[in-house]
Amino acid sequence: MRSILEKDKLKENGTNFVDWFRNLRIILKQEKKSYVLDEAIPEPPPADATNAVKNKHKKHMDDSNDIGCLMLATMCPELHKDLEHLEAYEMSVHFKQAFCN
């Protein structure tokens, strides 16, 4: 399914943002990772947190990294050179502000 995004990369001017973002959400829903676009990575748990809490935080970090890389790979180079330091949630917020106002 990810090839859908690769065929129609996000353009620098954002004219295809709505379609690109809709396709991204469809793919992430299927992969059960869409939450990374809606929730910032929480602060790391304390050292004495349970393994379940630590694992949940690690999964969020790993999923965000995976989706952030997917997002970068499916946008034009002019966009990703300025955004590669952001997490998936931060990119989502950035694009919504830039292309949906």
Side-chain angles (χ1 to χ4, degrees), residues 1-91:
M1 284 193 74
R2 289 180 177 215
S3 64
I4 293 168
L5 290 174
E6 293 171 5
K7 287 190 321 185
D8 193 20
K9 292 187 176 204
L10 180 60
K11 297 176 184 172
E12 183 177 14
N13 61 7
T15 55
N16 65 335
F17 171 73
V18 173
D19 293 332
W20 177 85
F21 198 70
R22 183 182 324 108
N23 287 333
L24 177 65
R25 281 216 174 265
I26 291 167
I27 291 163
L28 298 185
K29 182 177 180 181
Q30 187 267 332
E31 294 181 0
K32 297 178 176 63
K33 295 181 180 182
S34 60
Y35 72 97
V36 301
L37 298 179
D38 302 320
E39 303 170 18
I41 298 174
E43 292 294 319
D48 62 347
T50 64
N51 283 340
V53 170
K54 290 177 184 176
N55 290 340
K56 183 178 179 182
H57 183 264
K58 182 177 181 339
K59 180 179 181 345
H60 195 142
M61 286 181 32
D62 291 345
D63 287 349
S64 181
N65 184 59
D66 183 38
I67 300 314
C69 290
L70 173 65
M71 292 169 76
L72 289 169
T74 60
M75 63 180 70
C76 71
E78 294 79 16
L79 285 174
H80 72 71
K81 67 182 178 184
D82 293 328
L83 302 173
E84 60 192 1
H85 66 283
L86 298 178
E87 298 293 338
Y89 170 78
E90 295 167 328
M91 280 190 262

